[in-house]
């Protein structure tokens, strides 16, 4: 084993901090993250628990470093530049990121996307394992998360409810009150603080103060002075906590004095503590190992061709083993790490994509798709299947005459080719004044993430079109402009209306389209009948009239029995599955609830509103990819609570069949979603603009704006059911007719 070093928390944080925020540097060692490392994956709870451990003096494990690898690029530091490194970090990236966050002042650092605070006057439950209540805020949750110390779970985040979010926005100065917005969008991390905290202080202030003095009383004076300095530039924060902080510091109660002493002493202790760095020597890193896999037997690649075991560098082995004991690496992560090990410059292009808002998948997944697109040619019968680490190694080392694949891979990462491909896809798909049939950006990102094979096909087509124009984007746009509507229809048809079959079936569907489009530059006629009736892998979308529920009859009293049970309805639905399984699948998909991907079909109908209302929402940012991080919610027009927890109401059960699908939903700002579930839609949707934004007609409001009368009044129940159903058909028709979906099918059998 190599040299063992010791560094303070401050010195570890200085690996990433820019000079403006460096506290001091002893020049013991300057460490950067090598390209082969993955990105940040820790959740807020993990960061909070790490700092709780640090203040309590708990060991958090050693860091593994090695002398600077000349074959590796340096990953851009999170809060500054990584310049002139002496070493690379092999293990401990997530811990070093969390440590660095503790030294970042969210009020003075630009482009801060997360912050960590200490609640210096907490109420910690007896069941909690924490001694200190650290609170993380993020770009997607600038108000923080629920305080749930009893669980100390790192498996999920605890999300504030909409009522608390509105209250937080009032405190931040983003709303006049809970019902009236004052500013559009969400505050940044630098203009907010954790809502569920009694007296939150940026932890960087405590570290800065404890570093400047050895006197506890002076420590708290410095904290108050720092706080007062923000009275003008952060008036809302100052107003909310000025009185509480002054009272806290002046309090001479024995319990209060003990808590303050504990915070001071533990902060000082943490700043003075040192963590162990173990250096792996160059002699170990440089070696290669003859890898015997499967007991020395020959190995089969994806083509079932046998090949011999091969030499693998120790850096690859070491990276795999170090990462196997932490947060597990996905197959995509391993592939991307190996890509960066062999082609470090590739990461620069991915970073550039991210900075330009063009990265719609996690880095590793996106690179896996790019590689497959790059090594697929028009001579192939199908898109190259998923690759593995072994194939990457063979391409990099050219062990099986893989020079064509290697050249193709290096070519796509050269210059701005990947960026141009992504921009051309965006031109095809996204909403704009000139493309008012396009998607809100988040649906593009949703397709990339949830239907990766679709985005892979689009990327390959974009690459092919750009190659024919020598990567002239304007020319490629001009040549393909008549195809935009049909490319979009193709992508959304597969995304929304493909059955959830095996991966093999999904690949078959994409490859059928690939074979029809691969030979020449696209033209409109190529899309006519691209979903031919003999292809059993087709999406199951049908003409809008097939969404009608004529199979059940007109009289809703005939759908239910005397007790209000949906016997006749259920029997009719079952019979449809026997008589016309494709139509049954089609109707079933359209009637799914908001947890399913079909809900974004509603967003397509509301695309003008979505694109204008949520302009600050960046769907390429990984922190927004969970549903609870998006800035809107899907609100029931007729409150769902109207139909639940009621007894002996004749039409309650049949009306439930129509309350949760997209015909009774609308997208609204997350903070606007009602806390009072009994407020009727007609009290919320009043102006012509409200109706237009909600994709709702006055006639449909007659049923969807109803109240409890639908539970027992046949006329009211019928109006609600008809309104919900007619709006569902209208939402679907908006997509079908706007994008000429019928053009993608070539005869009546397939359409009807």
């Amino acid at each position: 084993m190599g040299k063992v070093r010791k560094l303070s928390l401050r010195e570890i944080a200085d690996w990433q901090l820019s000079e403006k925020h460096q506290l001091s540097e002893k020049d013991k060692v300057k460490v950067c993250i090598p390209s082969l490392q993955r990105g940040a994956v820790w959740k807020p709870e993990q960061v909070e628990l790490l700092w709780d451990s640090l203040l309590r003096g708990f060991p958090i494990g050693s860091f593994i470093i090695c002398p600077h690898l000349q074959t590796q690029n340096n990953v851009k530091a999170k809060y500054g530049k990584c310049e002139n490194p002496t070493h690379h970090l092999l293990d401990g990236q997530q811990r070093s990121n969390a440590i660095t966050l503790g030294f970042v002042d969210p009020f003075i650092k630009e482009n801060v996307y997360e912050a960590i605070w200490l609640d210096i006057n907490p109420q910690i439950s007896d069941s909690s394992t924490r001694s200190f209540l650290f609170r993380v805020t993020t770009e997607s949750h600038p108000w923080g998360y629920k305080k749930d110390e009893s669980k100390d779970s790192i498996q999920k985040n605890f999300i504030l409810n909409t009522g608390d979010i509105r209250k937080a926005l009032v405190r931040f100065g983003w709303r006049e009150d809970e019902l009236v917005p004052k500013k559009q969008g969400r505050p940044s991390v630098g203009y907010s603080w954790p809502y569920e905290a009694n007296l939150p202080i940026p932890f960087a202030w405590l570290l800065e103060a404890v570093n400047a003095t050895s006197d506890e009383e002076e420590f708290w004076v410095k904290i108050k002075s720092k706080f007062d300095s923000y009275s003008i530039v952060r008036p809302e924060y100052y107003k909310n906590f000025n009185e509480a902080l002054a009272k806290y510091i002046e309090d001479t109660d024995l319990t209060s004095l003990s808590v303050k002493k504990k915070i001071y002493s533990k902060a000082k202790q943490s700043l003075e503590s040192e963590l162990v760095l173990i250096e792996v020597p160059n002699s170990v890193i440089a070696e290669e190992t003859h890898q015997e896999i499967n007991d020395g037997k020959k190995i089969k690649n994806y083509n079932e061709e046998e090949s011999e075991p091969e030499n693998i560098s120790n850096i690859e082995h070491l990276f795999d083993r170090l990462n196997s004991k932490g947060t597990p690496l996905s197959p995509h992560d391993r592939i991307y790490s190996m890509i960066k090990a062999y082609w470090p410059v590739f990461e620069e292009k991915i970073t550039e994509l991210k900075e330009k808002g063009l990265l719609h998948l996690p880095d590793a997944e996106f690179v896996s798709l790019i590689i497959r697109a790059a090594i697929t040619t028009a001579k192939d019968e199908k898109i190259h299947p998923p690759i593995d680490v072994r194939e990457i190694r063979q391409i990099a080392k050219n062990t099986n005459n893989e020079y064509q694949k290697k050249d193709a891979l290096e070519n796509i990462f050269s210059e701005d080719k990947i960026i141009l491909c992504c921009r051309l896809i965006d031109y095809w798909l996204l909403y704009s004044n000139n493309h008012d049939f396009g998607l809100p950006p988040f649906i593009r990102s949703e397709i990339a993430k949830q239907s990766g094979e679709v985005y892979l096909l689009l990327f390959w087509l974009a690459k092919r079109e750009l190659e024919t124009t020598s990567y002239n984007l304007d020319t490629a746009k001009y040549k393909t402009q008549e195809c935009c509507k049909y490319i979009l229809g193709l992508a959304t048809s597969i995304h929304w209306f493909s059955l959830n079959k095996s991966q093999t079936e999904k690949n078959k569907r994409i490859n059928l389209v690939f074979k029809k489009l691969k030979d020449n530059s696209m033209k409109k006629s190529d899309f006519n009948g691209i979903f031919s009736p003999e292809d059993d892998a087709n999406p199951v979308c049908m003409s809008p009239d097939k969404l009608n529920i004529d199979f059940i009859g007109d009289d809703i009293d005939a759908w239910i029995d005397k007790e209000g049970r949906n016997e006749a309805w259920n029997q009719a639905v079952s019979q449809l599955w026997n008589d016309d399984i494709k139509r049954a699948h089609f109707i079933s998909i359209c009637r799914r609830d908001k947890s399913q991907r079909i809900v974004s079909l509603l967003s397509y109908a509301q695309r003008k509103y979505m694109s204008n209302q949520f302009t600050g929402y960046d769907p390429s940012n990984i922190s927004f990819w969970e549903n609870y991080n998006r800035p809107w919610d899907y609100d029931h027009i007729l409150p769902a609570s109207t139909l639940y927890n009621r007894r002996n109401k004749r039409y309650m059960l049949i009306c439930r069949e129509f309350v949760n699908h997209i015909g009774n939903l609308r997208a609204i700002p997350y903070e606007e979603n009602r806390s009072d579930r009994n407020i009727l839609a007609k009290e919320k949707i009043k102006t012509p603009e409200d109706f237009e934004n909600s994709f709702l007609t006055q006639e449909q409001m007659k049923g969807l704006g109803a109240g409890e009368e639908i539970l027992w009044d046949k006329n009211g129940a019928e109006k609600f059911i008809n309104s919900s159903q007619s709006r569902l058909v209208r939402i679907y028709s908006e997509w079908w007719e706007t994008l000429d979906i019928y053009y993608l099918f070539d005869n009546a059998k397939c359409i009807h």
Side-chain angles (χ1 to χ4, degrees), residues 22 50 501 641 710:
Q22 288 176 357
L50 179 81
K501 295 183 177 180
S641 58
I710 69 172

PDB file of all heavy atoms in Angstrom, residues 22 50 501 641 710:
ATOM      1  N   GLN A  22     -11.869  29.935  -0.973  1.00  0.00           N
ATOM      2  CA  GLN A  22     -10.902  29.145  -0.223  1.00  0.00           C
ATOM      3  C   GLN A  22     -10.585  29.855   1.088  1.00  0.00           C
ATOM      4  O   GLN A  22     -10.361  31.056   1.125  1.00  0.00           O
ATOM      5  CB  GLN A  22      -9.625  28.948  -1.036  1.00  0.00           C
ATOM      6  CG  GLN A  22      -9.816  27.977  -2.200  1.00  0.00           C
ATOM      7  CD  GLN A  22      -8.576  27.871  -3.060  1.00  0.00           C
ATOM      8  OE1 GLN A  22      -7.602  28.574  -2.811  1.00  0.00           O
ATOM      9  NE2 GLN A  22      -8.598  27.010  -4.055  1.00  0.00           N
ATOM     10  N   LEU A  50     -24.238  12.733   6.843  1.00  0.00           N
ATOM     11  CA  LEU A  50     -22.775  12.788   6.854  1.00  0.00           C
ATOM     12  C   LEU A  50     -22.296  13.914   7.765  1.00  0.00           C
ATOM     13  O   LEU A  50     -21.384  13.726   8.580  1.00  0.00           O
ATOM     14  CB  LEU A  50     -22.239  12.995   5.437  1.00  0.00           C
ATOM     15  CG  LEU A  50     -20.704  13.081   5.389  1.00  0.00           C
ATOM     16  CD1 LEU A  50     -20.098  11.684   5.422  1.00  0.00           C
ATOM     17  CD2 LEU A  50     -20.213  13.837   4.174  1.00  0.00           C
ATOM     18  N   LYS A 501     -44.574  -4.434 -23.450  1.00  0.00           N
ATOM     19  CA  LYS A 501     -44.086  -5.774 -23.748  1.00  0.00           C
ATOM     20  C   LYS A 501     -42.625  -5.884 -23.334  1.00  0.00           C
ATOM     21  O   LYS A 501     -42.057  -5.001 -22.735  1.00  0.00           O
ATOM     22  CB  LYS A 501     -44.267  -6.074 -25.237  1.00  0.00           C
ATOM     23  CG  LYS A 501     -45.736  -6.126 -25.676  1.00  0.00           C
ATOM     24  CD  LYS A 501     -45.865  -6.508 -27.139  1.00  0.00           C
ATOM     25  CE  LYS A 501     -47.320  -6.626 -27.555  1.00  0.00           C
ATOM     26  NZ  LYS A 501     -47.474  -7.006 -28.981  1.00  0.00           N
ATOM     27  N   SER A 641     -62.278  13.908  -4.112  1.00  0.00           N
ATOM     28  CA  SER A 641     -62.841  13.678  -2.778  1.00  0.00           C
ATOM     29  C   SER A 641     -64.370  13.633  -2.798  1.00  0.00           C
ATOM     30  O   SER A 641     -64.991  13.095  -1.886  1.00  0.00           O
ATOM     31  CB  SER A 641     -62.379  14.777  -1.815  1.00  0.00           C
ATOM     32  OG  SER A 641     -62.763  16.056  -2.288  1.00  0.00           O
ATOM     33  N   ILE A 710     -73.945  14.802  -8.041  1.00  0.00           N
ATOM     34  CA  ILE A 710     -73.738  13.703  -8.992  1.00  0.00           C
ATOM     35  C   ILE A 710     -73.810  12.344  -8.313  1.00  0.00           C
ATOM     36  O   ILE A 710     -73.948  11.316  -8.982  1.00  0.00           O
ATOM     37  CB  ILE A 710     -72.389  13.840  -9.731  1.00  0.00           C
ATOM     38  CG1 ILE A 710     -71.209  13.601  -8.786  1.00  0.00           C
ATOM     39  CG2 ILE A 710     -72.273  15.185 -10.411  1.00  0.00           C
ATOM     40  CD1 ILE A 710     -69.871  13.536  -9.494  1.00  0.00           C
TER      41      ILE A 710
END
